Amino acid sequence: MRTDIVSSGVGELSYEIREIVKVAKRAENSGLEIVWENIGDPIAKGEKLPHWIKEIVAETAMEDSSYGYCPTKGLLETREFLADLNNSRNGANISSEDILFFNGLGDAITNIYGLLRKECRVIGPKPAYSTHSSAEGLHANCHPVMYELNKDDNWNPDIEDLTNKIKYNPSIAGILLINPGNPTGAVYSKKVLSNIVDIANEYDLFILTDEIYSNIVYNGKKHNYLSEVIDDVSGISLKGISKDLPWPGSRCGWAEFYNVEKDPIFHKYVENICKFKMIEVCSTTLPQKVIPRVMSDNRYGKYLEERKKHYEYASNYVYDRMKKIEGVTVNKTNGAFYNTLVLEKEYLNEDQSLKIEDNGLKNYIETISKGIPNDKRFVYYLLGSTGICTVPLTSFCSEHNGLRFTLLERNMEIMNNTFEIMAEKIEEYILSN
Amino acid sequence: MRTDIVSSGVGELSYEIREIVKVAKRAENSGLEIVWENIGDPIAKGEKLPHWIKEIVAETAMEDSSYGYCPTKGLLETREFLADLNNSRNGANISSEDILFFNGLGDAITNIYGLLRKECRVIGPKPAYSTHSSAEGLHANCHPVMYELNKDDNWNPDIEDLTNKIKYNPSIAGILLINPGNPTGAVYSKKVLSNIVDIANEYDLFILTDEIYSNIVYNGKKHNYLSEVIDDVSGISLKGISKDLPWPGSRCGWAEFYNVEKDPIFHKYVENICKFKMIEVCSTTLPQKVIPRVMSDNRYGKYLEERKKHYEYASNYVYDRMKKIEGVTVNKTNGAFYNTLVLEKEYLNEDQSLKIEDNGLKNYIETISKGIPNDKRFVYYLLGSTGICTVPLTSFCSEHNGLRFTLLERNMEIMNNTFEIMAEKIEEYILSN
Amino acid sequence: MRTDIVSSGVGELSYEIREIVKVAKRAENSGLEIVWENIGDPIAKGEKLPHWIKEIVAETAMEDSSYGYCPTKGLLETREFLADLNNSRNGANISSEDILFFNGLGDAITNIYGLLRKECRVIGPKPAYSTHSSAEGLHANCHPVMYELNKDDNWNPDIEDLTNKIKYNPSIAGILLINPGNPTGAVYSKKVLSNIVDIANEYDLFILTDEIYSNIVYNGKKHNYLSEVIDDVSGISLKGISKDLPWPGSRCGWAEFYNVEKDPIFHKYVENICKFKMIEVCSTTLPQKVIPRVMSDNRYGKYLEERKKHYEYASNYVYDRMKKIEGVTVNKTNGAFYNTLVLEKEYLNEDQSLKIEDNGLKNYIETISKGIPNDKRFVYYLLGSTGICTVPLTSFCSEHNGLRFTLLERNMEIMNNTFEIMAEKIEEYILSN
Amino acid sequence: MRTDIVSSGVGELSYEIREIVKVAKRAENSGLEIVWENIGDPIAKGEKLPHWIKEIVAETAMEDSSYGYCPTKGLLETREFLADLNNSRNGANISSEDILFFNGLGDAITNIYGLLRKECRVIGPKPAYSTHSSAEGLHANCHPVMYELNKDDNWNPDIEDLTNKIKYNPSIAGILLINPGNPTGAVYSKKVLSNIVDIANEYDLFILTDEIYSNIVYNGKKHNYLSEVIDDVSGISLKGISKDLPWPGSRCGWAEFYNVEKDPIFHKYVENICKFKMIEVCSTTLPQKVIPRVMSDNRYGKYLEERKKHYEYASNYVYDRMKKIEGVTVNKTNGAFYNTLVLEKEYLNEDQSLKIEDNGLKNYIETISKGIPNDKRFVYYLLGSTGICTVPLTSFCSEHNGLRFTLLERNMEIMNNTFEIMAEKIEEYILSN
């Protein structure tokens, strides 16, 4: 290459949720059976789409029009359906023009941050969901800016920390809210949302909210939509069908833009996002076609209820078991399908370990465990010892140690067993030194 | 907004293929029936996927695994299938690891240019395909750099122009080749490809080729793959199923990387592209699953043959009719499904027009036709007068005047009629002043 | 121009201290005699260099070696003299290698900020000295980041504000301290300096201090050098001869780098600053040659004492007179040669004015006074009414209203008269509506 | 440092003219007497300013006004004097407003390139003068773009190469011309200048010319000013007093802007350069004051004539001696005070050497001579063997091998001796292997 073509910054990207797979594959080669608790793919964990949904998809696949391009913003009838859905709640009204489909929220996120003026920042929660924090950092050629979620207060935002970081850093132009939280499973009250809106209002910011899990809320809680409390503040809500149907492989998500006309700068920014999508022509058509049929089917609600019962069970099981362990801080999750345990720092050190049967694997785990955070060390040993594959909390930009795992396993025996083994191994690891 | 969030540069993006739609919608509102010849969506033009392909898709849609995430690079079995397909030809060999799936080539293109070091450039053909040229310009915050395709030599690359621009501009790090050409329909000989490879070799560049139309070649020609002639040069080929199956709405395309290990800078660059896809998790799963089943079905070849016959007929019909018009330069297309006519500049002026029945529409067309390129003016009048919606050649970054339209219409009577009207209207317009 | 060559951002630069001159020139053309209180040029205000200093310069000008280039960092003997001077105080020791000469502090400042990584920031005081704030903003393509100086506490830094802005904004990499203050005239106690050092220590920042006025301290105060308290923190002190000798036209200043070896990042940064100077070859030679001779002359101390007496007199005169005005907040200055009055906001409005004799000038002042900050309005009316040319406080990036003027006038009668007129006009203006 | 403050790119800067000094100092420590032929400082080579010039400077130094700031653009009377000087020739007329003083041309150059829009380029000559090429490369974060000077045609610009690079690289917005040339000593004919102006005209570029040596032209040649042939093209000429008086240590140079009003983009750009100088207040005053007095003194012309005779003698001496050496290409210089010899590549290899007496120095030279260009190797051996300090041609961005040395030595015996030794050592080195 006569000239360097490598852009600086990108090389720094990491996405531990996927990178841990390399270690797990190594363990699998040593004969271990891997229990994939690292990634939130319900399908991979045995979740079955109801037959009727698959039938709708299959039927739609027999229509020729399902194969063509759709308009740049997405199919009109689907956008109208989704606008109506939003408008059926109180709060900010939108039209079909305020919705833009993406090829999944990954696509949405990289474009939304990527098209921000380089000098301005969006502050997001910590523990962070890596796609957001990586995209923010890449955009700014810097570490992402983040506010604390409080492990001792059900992972609610630390409003004081958030306010101070905004007040004292004029580069911040927007606030990211992931609700329900990933990786925390927290579901925010209307009061928390209103606090955020008040801050955005006071400092003249926009709000970006990731509501991909808005239909996965349980334990008697209810999801409060940003649009219900946003008032006149500029806002973007990200939604999709990855988690609900669940159809993560569809890469079908969308952005809802609130109060676009009320701020000319926000308006211009949103227009640019749409223009950029236009040069990619449009997003994927088939899943968009399916959305109104599935979501307006009266079997859909019942189906979601049934699934949420499962997550509720898992949520409580984990909570009840883990809270007994000294050194562990656990919050009961009320939404999404992960739990994030905190392993308190004073209980971890560099000399702890778990027994690993296979010698080659043992050596490998020992080697890669040098000079890494203590929770990553535990995650490696848990993986090498049991095949359970989780993600260390520090890889979510958190200063806390801990781990994230899913609540997805549909085989109850396997699930209970996995949680039990995890609990025992945490206890054993802590006591090992 | 307390701080400006609007990134400079993006506002300049344009994509005439989609923007002309606004004018057409206005004409439609005046009662005209629009003949959409602006965009290459076979589905929209009445192309029917064979029943057996739709059945494969529908069957695949009944499998639960079709709904989950796939690996970041794409489904392993599909990548292996595609690697084998490539390796069955002579030339550069690849493994499944050298393939990366994207959500359509739009996604591929914005990422491939977006991840280049800002200071280096990829030179592309002119007339340009807007997604490429916009992405290149956006990446460099500049006009795209381009080499001439020669209208008087079947739209072959002007090798002297290309060589000079590379030789004398050290910022150029790569060459884009669209083969078969869009918007030109040219299919390049092995000699042309070898010339490009030789240039890349001499100046130590990589080659990016867009081969999305590689299966749509006719008039007795054969597609020559970049991989067949690339030798040791670093290369990227973009392919997909938008045009073959045709399933443009799938947003399913992929990049094949050639000789990744042979240049450490290229290697690092390709790794960054994969890492960036990782933070978006993966691309869409269902279409990937379908690819091996469809492409290895022995009905597939016959089906493509049948479609190519249609394009061949249309290609020849257009050529024979248009070459009779004084002031028009037309090349017979041998691939893809567009024809790009050149309206020679000395035959156009700002006072020509066509009769538009509806008075409101007439006023509208007159108003928007002021101060624009002469070919755009013709395109507007053709649209207002007949409802036929085409794209002006100048909007493909060309200095030539002309227009691009599709060869897709499957109703032969409508198609012949459309071409005949276009021909007559060109004649009438030229003579109008 | 076939391509745009205008860099964004620069167009936004403003330097009111020089821009007010245009308005003053207009007033001069109307027959007013201008009293230039806007810029700190002692020479222009009648300050006379002692004959012996001029003789040293003239004698040095007869030596051939005074005309050649000097080493990139500056003349070795002068750097050794200055290093010794610094080392004669307690605190951070430096060698001649830790000193780099610039063509005045303007040159130093634009380079020091310009060579910072674009994504990191230096927080400076507000009211700001425009050369610093413009250079910081230009470097970051953003508004400068600033901490408050407290008008109700002798313009001392608001340590809480500073701490919060650093704590909550991780982009901040350095703190700027102007001591003695410009435009405030504040002289900081050792405790204030230690507070700043502690903050830099805690958050691992470097300190940039502008000590150009370090020899102009009076009212019984003493200048505390950053080097005396800096401990192990990375630091840069800017010094020069513009204000002492005074020889502003020499464009001769220098940077002293403290603890360069103790932080590898700081070391690299300092090296880059030196390399950048190397491509400009070196800074001006003659003034450097003169420095040791003048500064080691025993007449020098006495001369400075005599001048400081004058500023002390002016400082107290202004303070005693201005504190009597309702609506004015005034701090007694202890260093440098400006006073910055605050005109409390509730005493100003858009309908106040002063009588302007000349009708053309009156119209001009009325026209340019529309839609501008209230203090700028006052400054214009004062100029149009009396010829006294000052600088509005808001043009120092301050939210306070007020004005800065010099204490330089050496003709006592003129000086007293000027201050008296200013005081009266403030009173008159406030009462005018 | 909690965050990285090191800007990328700057670390790459090099300025061999100053960096060779480190090696020479090492040689000096081994007891060699160094003959400094690396840098164009006439003063250091024994050039004496005439007594009358020094007297003017000394007298001016006794005036108080010499010590104050001057206007941002420079002293009005000096700018008027220089505008008149330019206007006394035919060609582009300027007013005092079209002149901007800098602290030497180094300051001018870094600002002129630094304020260009990042995406546009100025093509300069090769061999390059490092201050220009470094500043261009730093501005663009790239290798500088350059056109060839032809060693086989008296170092005239290769117009074909220049035209092609401009024609085929649309990023180029300006052409740099160094006339008389540094390091080549070439003086361009009116025809060459007109060719450049024609190219700028055809491609709508601006011209930047460095005319610092315009008064140092001999061998019967005459300097042709850009302003004489520039017609309506936008242009900047850089001039100064470093080489004429000679007063390099003054850091006093200026830019003359031609046809500012004729192109609005150029106008805006020039305004930005002035604004940027404003935040640095102004450039150095004393030398500006001296300019009209010295230059309008009738002794000045005679003085320059006398000096040029010396350079003419040296120019011819070098030419006559060096042209006899096989393997050397030498052009007779007609301006400036350097000669740049080409050592033809086929005469150099990595095994050649010269005898170095001191063993420590020999080891040092052997060590640093590994893996470097062959001409740099020769320069090191020449230095180690004889103490003569020159600069390798490759460090002026040239692909040719060779060396640059000055014609400044005023002691004729020393000068002749130095040239003779250089010639002999070149012969000896070439024959050594």
Side-chain angles (χ1 to χ4, degrees), chain A residues 3 19 25 52 61 67 138 140 169 175 196 200 205 207 212 227 268 277 283 302 380 384 432:
Chain A
T3 176
E19 286 183 357
K25 289 283 179 196
W52 66 268
Y67 291 83
L138 190 63
N169 184 352
I175 305 171
I196 306 275
L205 314 175
I207 301 175
I212 189 80
S227 69
K268 189 89 196 300
K277 177 52 75 181
S283 296
K302 272 183 286 180
Y380 284 174
S432 71

PDB file of all heavy atoms in Angstrom, chain A residues 3 19 25 52 61 67 138 140 169 175 196 200 205 207 212 227 268 277 283 302 380 384 432:
ATOM      1  N   THR A   3       0.196   4.241   0.517  1.00  0.00           N
ATOM      2  CA  THR A   3      -0.148   5.190   1.568  1.00  0.00           C
ATOM      3  C   THR A   3      -0.940   4.463   2.648  1.00  0.00           C
ATOM      4  O   THR A   3      -1.594   3.464   2.375  1.00  0.00           O
ATOM      5  CB  THR A   3      -0.947   6.382   0.996  1.00  0.00           C
ATOM      6  OG1 THR A   3      -1.350   7.229   2.068  1.00  0.00           O
ATOM      7  CG2 THR A   3      -2.188   5.926   0.252  1.00  0.00           C
ATOM      8  N   GLU A  19     -16.169 -11.111  21.890  1.00  0.00           N
ATOM      9  CA  GLU A  19     -14.765 -11.539  21.938  1.00  0.00           C
ATOM     10  C   GLU A  19     -14.536 -12.705  22.880  1.00  0.00           C
ATOM     11  O   GLU A  19     -13.620 -13.504  22.687  1.00  0.00           O
ATOM     12  CB  GLU A  19     -13.864 -10.339  22.269  1.00  0.00           C
ATOM     13  CG  GLU A  19     -13.753  -9.431  21.056  1.00  0.00           C
ATOM     14  CD  GLU A  19     -12.842  -8.252  21.241  1.00  0.00           C
ATOM     15  OE1 GLU A  19     -12.305  -8.063  22.351  1.00  0.00           O
ATOM     16  OE2 GLU A  19     -12.674  -7.503  20.260  1.00  0.00           O
ATOM     17  N   LYS A  25     -14.587 -20.956  22.489  1.00  0.00           N
ATOM     18  CA  LYS A  25     -14.309 -21.928  21.425  1.00  0.00           C
ATOM     19  C   LYS A  25     -13.085 -22.779  21.794  1.00  0.00           C
ATOM     20  O   LYS A  25     -13.036 -23.979  21.536  1.00  0.00           O
ATOM     21  CB  LYS A  25     -14.043 -21.196  20.091  1.00  0.00           C
ATOM     22  CG  LYS A  25     -15.286 -20.567  19.472  1.00  0.00           C
ATOM     23  CD  LYS A  25     -16.165 -21.620  18.796  1.00  0.00           C
ATOM     24  CE  LYS A  25     -17.421 -20.978  18.210  1.00  0.00           C
ATOM     25  NZ  LYS A  25     -18.466 -21.955  17.881  1.00  0.00           N
ATOM     26  N   TRP A  52     -47.593 -19.346  14.854  1.00  0.00           N
ATOM     27  CA  TRP A  52     -48.388 -18.365  14.083  1.00  0.00           C
ATOM     28  C   TRP A  52     -47.538 -17.193  13.585  1.00  0.00           C
ATOM     29  O   TRP A  52     -47.784 -16.644  12.513  1.00  0.00           O
ATOM     30  CB  TRP A  52     -49.605 -17.892  14.880  1.00  0.00           C
ATOM     31  CG  TRP A  52     -49.293 -17.075  16.136  1.00  0.00           C
ATOM     32  CD1 TRP A  52     -49.139 -17.545  17.395  1.00  0.00           C
ATOM     33  CD2 TRP A  52     -49.122 -15.660  16.219  1.00  0.00           C
ATOM     34  NE1 TRP A  52     -48.877 -16.531  18.281  1.00  0.00           N
ATOM     35  CE2 TRP A  52     -48.871 -15.350  17.580  1.00  0.00           C
ATOM     36  CE3 TRP A  52     -49.150 -14.619  15.289  1.00  0.00           C
ATOM     37  CZ2 TRP A  52     -48.655 -14.061  18.033  1.00  0.00           C
ATOM     38  CZ3 TRP A  52     -48.935 -13.318  15.742  1.00  0.00           C
ATOM     39  CH2 TRP A  52     -48.683 -13.048  17.110  1.00  0.00           C
ATOM     40  N   ALA A  61     -43.509 -14.047   2.961  1.00  0.00           N
ATOM     41  CA  ALA A  61     -42.410 -14.395   2.061  1.00  0.00           C
ATOM     42  C   ALA A  61     -42.914 -14.919   0.721  1.00  0.00           C
ATOM     43  O   ALA A  61     -42.148 -15.033  -0.244  1.00  0.00           O
ATOM     44  CB  ALA A  61     -41.486 -15.427   2.710  1.00  0.00           C
ATOM     45  N   TYR A  67     -40.085  -8.586  -1.509  1.00  0.00           N
ATOM     46  CA  TYR A  67     -38.699  -8.708  -1.938  1.00  0.00           C
ATOM     47  C   TYR A  67     -38.107  -7.405  -2.479  1.00  0.00           C
ATOM     48  O   TYR A  67     -36.910  -7.305  -2.695  1.00  0.00           O
ATOM     49  CB  TYR A  67     -38.590  -9.824  -2.993  1.00  0.00           C
ATOM     50  CG  TYR A  67     -38.840 -11.186  -2.379  1.00  0.00           C
ATOM     51  CD1 TYR A  67     -40.138 -11.662  -2.184  1.00  0.00           C
ATOM     52  CD2 TYR A  67     -37.782 -11.951  -1.933  1.00  0.00           C
ATOM     53  CE1 TYR A  67     -40.374 -12.890  -1.580  1.00  0.00           C
ATOM     54  CE2 TYR A  67     -38.006 -13.187  -1.330  1.00  0.00           C
ATOM     55  CZ  TYR A  67     -39.301 -13.650  -1.158  1.00  0.00           C
ATOM     56  OH  TYR A  67     -39.508 -14.846  -0.546  1.00  0.00           O
ATOM     57  N   LEU A 138     -15.879   6.311  19.486  1.00  0.00           N
ATOM     58  CA  LEU A 138     -15.334   6.349  18.125  1.00  0.00           C
ATOM     59  C   LEU A 138     -15.654   7.691  17.481  1.00  0.00           C
ATOM     60  O   LEU A 138     -14.794   8.312  16.843  1.00  0.00           O
ATOM     61  CB  LEU A 138     -15.959   5.221  17.316  1.00  0.00           C
ATOM     62  CG  LEU A 138     -15.354   4.954  15.949  1.00  0.00           C
ATOM     63  CD1 LEU A 138     -13.909   4.518  16.045  1.00  0.00           C
ATOM     64  CD2 LEU A 138     -16.162   3.900  15.205  1.00  0.00           C
ATOM     65  N   ALA A 140     -16.076  10.517  18.927  1.00  0.00           N
ATOM     66  CA  ALA A 140     -15.359  11.642  19.537  1.00  0.00           C
ATOM     67  C   ALA A 140     -13.854  11.422  19.572  1.00  0.00           C
ATOM     68  O   ALA A 140     -13.117  12.296  20.008  1.00  0.00           O
ATOM     69  CB  ALA A 140     -15.885  11.884  20.953  1.00  0.00           C
ATOM     70  N   ASN A 169     -19.653  20.289  31.896  1.00  0.00           N
ATOM     71  CA  ASN A 169     -19.012  19.929  30.626  1.00  0.00           C
ATOM     72  C   ASN A 169     -19.876  20.400  29.461  1.00  0.00           C
ATOM     73  O   ASN A 169     -20.782  19.697  29.012  1.00  0.00           O
ATOM     74  CB  ASN A 169     -18.782  18.420  30.545  1.00  0.00           C
ATOM     75  CG  ASN A 169     -18.028  18.021  29.288  1.00  0.00           C
ATOM     76  OD1 ASN A 169     -17.809  18.848  28.401  1.00  0.00           O
ATOM     77  ND2 ASN A 169     -17.644  16.760  29.194  1.00  0.00           N
ATOM     78  N   ILE A 175     -28.240  13.182  26.151  1.00  0.00           N
ATOM     79  CA  ILE A 175     -28.216  12.167  27.216  1.00  0.00           C
ATOM     80  C   ILE A 175     -28.744  10.862  26.642  1.00  0.00           C
ATOM     81  O   ILE A 175     -29.804  10.847  26.014  1.00  0.00           O
ATOM     82  CB  ILE A 175     -29.136  12.571  28.392  1.00  0.00           C
ATOM     83  CG1 ILE A 175     -28.782  13.957  28.920  1.00  0.00           C
ATOM     84  CG2 ILE A 175     -29.094  11.519  29.494  1.00  0.00           C
ATOM     85  CD1 ILE A 175     -29.808  14.483  29.932  1.00  0.00           C
ATOM     86  N   ILE A 196     -34.703  13.222  34.148  1.00  0.00           N
ATOM     87  CA  ILE A 196     -33.837  13.312  32.961  1.00  0.00           C
ATOM     88  C   ILE A 196     -34.361  14.390  32.004  1.00  0.00           C
ATOM     89  O   ILE A 196     -33.599  15.206  31.474  1.00  0.00           O
ATOM     90  CB  ILE A 196     -33.773  11.949  32.239  1.00  0.00           C
ATOM     91  CG1 ILE A 196     -33.347  10.828  33.189  1.00  0.00           C
ATOM     92  CG2 ILE A 196     -32.905  12.039  30.987  1.00  0.00           C
ATOM     93  CD1 ILE A 196     -31.892  10.642  33.381  1.00  0.00           C
ATOM     94  N   ALA A 200     -32.508  17.766  30.675  1.00  0.00           N
ATOM     95  CA  ALA A 200     -32.375  18.080  29.244  1.00  0.00           C
ATOM     96  C   ALA A 200     -32.977  19.446  28.964  1.00  0.00           C
ATOM     97  O   ALA A 200     -32.438  20.242  28.194  1.00  0.00           O
ATOM     98  CB  ALA A 200     -33.048  17.012  28.401  1.00  0.00           C
ATOM     99  N   LEU A 205     -30.605  20.105  25.971  1.00  0.00           N
ATOM    100  CA  LEU A 205     -29.995  18.929  25.363  1.00  0.00           C
ATOM    101  C   LEU A 205     -31.057  18.092  24.658  1.00  0.00           C
ATOM    102  O   LEU A 205     -32.243  18.287  24.873  1.00  0.00           O
ATOM    103  CB  LEU A 205     -29.350  18.053  26.454  1.00  0.00           C
ATOM    104  CG  LEU A 205     -28.495  18.755  27.495  1.00  0.00           C
ATOM    105  CD1 LEU A 205     -28.051  17.744  28.560  1.00  0.00           C
ATOM    106  CD2 LEU A 205     -27.281  19.398  26.849  1.00  0.00           C
ATOM    107  N   ILE A 207     -32.458  14.047  24.081  1.00  0.00           N
ATOM    108  CA  ILE A 207     -32.410  12.762  24.777  1.00  0.00           C
ATOM    109  C   ILE A 207     -32.459  11.655  23.740  1.00  0.00           C
ATOM    110  O   ILE A 207     -33.271  11.687  22.820  1.00  0.00           O
ATOM    111  CB  ILE A 207     -33.594  12.603  25.756  1.00  0.00           C
ATOM    112  CG1 ILE A 207     -33.575  13.728  26.800  1.00  0.00           C
ATOM    113  CG2 ILE A 207     -33.554  11.242  26.448  1.00  0.00           C
ATOM    114  CD1 ILE A 207     -34.776  13.704  27.738  1.00  0.00           C
ATOM    115  N   ILE A 212     -35.343  -0.798  23.290  1.00  0.00           N
ATOM    116  CA  ILE A 212     -35.466  -2.086  22.592  1.00  0.00           C
ATOM    117  C   ILE A 212     -36.156  -3.135  23.474  1.00  0.00           C
ATOM    118  O   ILE A 212     -36.810  -4.041  22.973  1.00  0.00           O
ATOM    119  CB  ILE A 212     -34.070  -2.569  22.117  1.00  0.00           C
ATOM    120  CG1 ILE A 212     -34.186  -3.786  21.204  1.00  0.00           C
ATOM    121  CG2 ILE A 212     -33.153  -2.900  23.278  1.00  0.00           C
ATOM    122  CD1 ILE A 212     -34.540  -3.467  19.800  1.00  0.00           C
ATOM    123  N   SER A 227     -41.556   9.093  25.323  1.00  0.00           N
ATOM    124  CA  SER A 227     -42.500   9.997  24.655  1.00  0.00           C
ATOM    125  C   SER A 227     -43.615  10.457  25.597  1.00  0.00           C
ATOM    126  O   SER A 227     -44.220  11.498  25.376  1.00  0.00           O
ATOM    127  CB  SER A 227     -43.093   9.317  23.419  1.00  0.00           C
ATOM    128  OG  SER A 227     -43.949   8.256  23.805  1.00  0.00           O
ATOM    129  N   LYS A 268     -32.179  19.802  11.590  1.00  0.00           N
ATOM    130  CA  LYS A 268     -31.118  19.628  10.580  1.00  0.00           C
ATOM    131  C   LYS A 268     -30.386  18.301  10.797  1.00  0.00           C
ATOM    132  O   LYS A 268     -30.082  17.571   9.839  1.00  0.00           O
ATOM    133  CB  LYS A 268     -30.131  20.800  10.705  1.00  0.00           C
ATOM    134  CG  LYS A 268     -29.103  20.905   9.617  1.00  0.00           C
ATOM    135  CD  LYS A 268     -29.615  21.736   8.456  1.00  0.00           C
ATOM    136  CE  LYS A 268     -28.781  21.529   7.205  1.00  0.00           C
ATOM    137  NZ  LYS A 268     -27.357  21.912   7.390  1.00  0.00           N
ATOM    138  N   LYS A 277     -29.118   7.672   5.296  1.00  0.00           N
ATOM    139  CA  LYS A 277     -29.788   6.392   5.002  1.00  0.00           C
ATOM    140  C   LYS A 277     -30.151   6.334   3.516  1.00  0.00           C
ATOM    141  O   LYS A 277     -30.095   5.274   2.898  1.00  0.00           O
ATOM    142  CB  LYS A 277     -31.026   6.254   5.903  1.00  0.00           C
ATOM    143  CG  LYS A 277     -31.887   5.017   5.677  1.00  0.00           C
ATOM    144  CD  LYS A 277     -31.119   3.709   5.698  1.00  0.00           C
ATOM    145  CE  LYS A 277     -30.694   3.247   7.082  1.00  0.00           C
ATOM    146  NZ  LYS A 277     -29.923   1.978   7.029  1.00  0.00           N
ATOM    147  N   SER A 283     -33.749   0.307   4.407  1.00  0.00           N
ATOM    148  CA  SER A 283     -33.477  -0.838   5.277  1.00  0.00           C
ATOM    149  C   SER A 283     -34.332  -2.025   4.822  1.00  0.00           C
ATOM    150  O   SER A 283     -35.153  -1.919   3.911  1.00  0.00           O
ATOM    151  CB  SER A 283     -33.748  -0.461   6.729  1.00  0.00           C
ATOM    152  OG  SER A 283     -32.850   0.565   7.127  1.00  0.00           O
ATOM    153  N   LYS A 302     -50.671 -12.056  24.533  1.00  0.00           N
ATOM    154  CA  LYS A 302     -50.613 -13.248  25.395  1.00  0.00           C
ATOM    155  C   LYS A 302     -49.245 -13.919  25.313  1.00  0.00           C
ATOM    156  O   LYS A 302     -48.691 -14.371  26.307  1.00  0.00           O
ATOM    157  CB  LYS A 302     -51.716 -14.238  24.978  1.00  0.00           C
ATOM    158  CG  LYS A 302     -53.049 -13.963  25.705  1.00  0.00           C
ATOM    159  CD  LYS A 302     -54.098 -14.997  25.322  1.00  0.00           C
ATOM    160  CE  LYS A 302     -54.576 -14.701  23.884  1.00  0.00           C
ATOM    161  NZ  LYS A 302     -55.606 -15.658  23.426  1.00  0.00           N
ATOM    162  N   TYR A 380     -13.094 -16.064  33.089  1.00  0.00           N
ATOM    163  CA  TYR A 380     -12.287 -17.067  32.389  1.00  0.00           C
ATOM    164  C   TYR A 380     -12.254 -18.388  33.160  1.00  0.00           C
ATOM    165  O   TYR A 380     -12.372 -19.461  32.573  1.00  0.00           O
ATOM    166  CB  TYR A 380     -10.859 -16.553  32.187  1.00  0.00           C
ATOM    167  CG  TYR A 380     -10.708 -15.529  31.081  1.00  0.00           C
ATOM    168  CD1 TYR A 380      -9.489 -14.885  30.872  1.00  0.00           C
ATOM    169  CD2 TYR A 380     -11.763 -15.195  30.229  1.00  0.00           C
ATOM    170  CE1 TYR A 380      -9.316 -13.952  29.855  1.00  0.00           C
ATOM    171  CE2 TYR A 380     -11.602 -14.253  29.217  1.00  0.00           C
ATOM    172  CZ  TYR A 380     -10.382 -13.630  29.038  1.00  0.00           C
ATOM    173  OH  TYR A 380     -10.216 -12.713  28.039  1.00  0.00           O
ATOM    174  N   GLY A 384     -13.608 -21.937  31.971  1.00  0.00           N
ATOM    175  CA  GLY A 384     -12.708 -23.094  31.866  1.00  0.00           C
ATOM    176  C   GLY A 384     -13.137 -24.229  32.775  1.00  0.00           C
ATOM    177  O   GLY A 384     -12.913 -25.412  32.476  1.00  0.00           O
ATOM    178  N   SER A 432     -11.281 -19.429  47.473  1.00  0.00           N
ATOM    179  CA  SER A 432     -10.081 -20.174  47.043  1.00  0.00           C
ATOM    180  C   SER A 432      -8.795 -19.482  47.468  1.00  0.00           C
ATOM    181  O   SER A 432      -7.722 -20.076  47.432  1.00  0.00           O
ATOM    182  CB  SER A 432     -10.097 -20.366  45.524  1.00  0.00           C
ATOM    183  OG  SER A 432      -9.861 -19.127  44.870  1.00  0.00           O
TER     184      SER A 432
END
